[in-house]
Amino acid sequence: PITTSFRRRRLLKGSGSVWAPIRAQLLLSVSEDASLPRAIAIIRQVEENRSDGNPCLDLLVKLKRGRFQAGLNAPPLRLGMEGGDWAPAPEKVTCNGPSASYKELLSTQPCVPVWYCSHWWGESIFDFVAGCRRHAEVRHLVADARYWVCGYANRQHELDQEISVQITSTSFYAALHEAKGVLLILDPKATPFSRIWCDFELYTAIMSGDMGLDIVTTIPPRQGKEAETRLLSKDLIPGESAVAKSVREQNFPINLLAQGLEVVLENGMATQEQDKEAILKAIAAEKFEPGPGKPEVPNELRANMTLHSTLAILAWPQAQ
């Protein structure tokens, strides 16, 4: 990518100066309140456009990541995506070195998550990988083993673009509703149950009705035995009998699920207090119609009861 500054030129007499990018240059959309670019593209074609009387540059670009947005102070540029319609001009455009999330460094190709990972970042990375690997094996995912992991998918130095006061506008919410299910990864202390983001993700999966829910944990090595990874699933895995499911889950640590039975969403911890406020606000705003003859229940209480009952059902076979 070219990292030099744009040249300036005049398109028409009296029209003022505009940015004049060149072909194959890297195009970024940046803002003063964010350290990383909002969008990155490679310029494929540059043409002058005077059709509407207001001279501007038409850029045909190949979008690599992010999105370009319109703004009141946008330069007189229009961006065209290959194979698509012309897009509005960005707020501000410059040439600079790119920065991205870890996922974007590995691949610029977008992909839809199949499973959404809900976990605590203090766990062992080896246990985390072991949990995902075991899950992919049991689910027979193979090439479809695409997991959304917030720490790798989000741009960590531009989290203001990923997290909003509106939960439904966050990258977390978008990924959660694209995925087929949630994979809850528990450490030996079941820490995710004390984190409000994890509880909300678990609650969302349960309430959706058609999302899968799997819980995985790695049992530390003990008394000469190697570490073991155990998987619990809310429903039968395709091709698996009820007996096979029972055998697979029989050694799952029931003490971890017991901690989930004590979850109180209002007491959940969050790194940012505004995240907790936004989650509780989103739950409180949900609309529920009580069944015939049933009293209305506050949404927070309903959410806690939903989590407790689901975990109790999952723990019941191991408790017998």
Side-chain angles (χ1 to χ4, degrees):
I2 299 174
T3 57
T4 184
S5 299
F6 285 127
R7 295 178 291 108
R8 288 178 178 269
R9 68 176 178 180
R10 291 181 181 274
L11 293 180
L12 285 179
K13 185 176 181 180
S15 66
S17 297
V18 298
W19 295 114
I22 58 177
R23 187 176 181 276
Q25 202 167 25
L26 193 67
L27 189 66
L28 307 184
S29 174
V30 300
S31 61
E32 295 179 357
D33 60 347
S35 59
L36 299 183
R38 295 176 182 270
I40 302 175
I42 296 177
I43 300 173
R44 296 302 192 198
Q45 184 177 333
V46 182
E47 293 183 354
E48 294 185 16
N49 187 328
R50 310 184 187 191
S51 59
D52 58 1
N54 295 315
C56 66
L57 293 179
D58 282 345
L59 303 184
L60 181 65
V61 305
K62 182 176 182 180
L63 185 65
K64 302 299 290 184
R65 57 183 70 102
R67 56 187 177 275
F68 287 91
Q69 299 175 332
L72 295 176
N73 299 319
L77 300 175
R78 289 191 300 172
L79 301 181
M81 308 305 167
E82 287 186 342
D85 297 328
W86 291 108
E91 299 173 7
K92 181 181 179 182
V93 177
T94 186
C95 245
N96 207 340
S99 54
S101 68
Y102 179 68
K103 186 273 171 192
E104 290 172 309
L105 294 178
L106 297 179
S107 170
T108 58
Q109 296 299 317
C111 58
V112 177
V114 178
W115 284 84
Y116 181 105
C117 287
S118 180
H119 68 119
W120 173 57
W121 270 111
E123 79 220 334
S124 161
I125 187 64
F126 294 105
D127 290 349
F128 174 84
V129 173
C132 291
R133 181 179 290 118
R134 175 59 177 163
H135 180 259
E137 291 173 353
V138 173
R139 284 278 176 182
H140 308 292
L141 298 180
V142 192
D144 285 334
R146 298 192 302 273
Y147 295 91
W148 194 87
V149 185
C150 64
Y152 302 145
N154 289 332
R155 297 176 180 180
Q156 295 301 309
H157 296 286
E158 197 180 30
L159 287 179
D160 61 314
Q161 304 299 317
E162 313 289 355
I163 300 176
S164 168
V165 293
Q166 294 289 337
I167 288 295
T168 55
S169 299
T170 63
S171 59
F172 298 84
Y173 189 88
L176 191 57
H177 285 265
E178 285 286 347
K180 294 181 179 179
V182 168
L183 174 62
L184 177 63
I185 302 175
L186 297 179
D187 66 316
K189 296 183 179 180
T191 307
F193 288 133
S194 67
R195 309 296 300 181
I196 194 167
W197 264 113
C198 295
D199 291 334
F200 176 71
E201 291 156 357
L202 180 59
Y203 168 71
T204 300
I206 295 170
M207 294 301 293
S208 71
D210 58 354
M211 285 187 72
L213 172 60
D214 293 342
I215 304 176
V216 69
T217 190
T218 297
I219 303 173
R222 63 193 188 284
Q223 298 178 349
K225 293 184 178 181
E226 296 183 355
E228 299 177 83
T229 303
R230 300 292 180 182
L231 179 70
L232 200 70
S233 53
K234 186 180 71 170
D235 303 307
L236 286 175
I237 290 175
E240 182 182 53
S241 67
V243 173
K245 180 178 186 295
S246 178
V247 171
R248 171 171 55 80
E249 298 178 347
Q250 64 183 352
N251 292 322
F252 192 94
I254 191 173
N255 62 302
L256 299 184
L257 298 179
Q259 294 187 52
L261 298 178
E262 300 177 0
V263 166
V264 178
L265 275 165
E266 301 92 308
N267 297 337
M269 295 184 292
T271 303
Q272 301 294 330
E273 186 63 25
Q274 59 264 34
D275 290 356
K276 179 176 180 178
E277 295 174 359
I279 289 173
L280 293 177
K281 183 178 179 180
I283 292 176
E286 292 181 322
K287 303 295 183 181
F288 292 101
E289 291 294 335
K294 294 184 178 181
E296 290 191 11
V297 177
N299 285 1
E300 289 83 356
L301 177 58
R302 181 191 301 275
N304 287 323
M305 292 171 62
T306 299
L307 291 174
H308 296 165
S309 60
T310 300
L311 293 172
I313 292 172
L314 290 174
W316 177 250
Q318 284 73 37
Q320 297 184 59

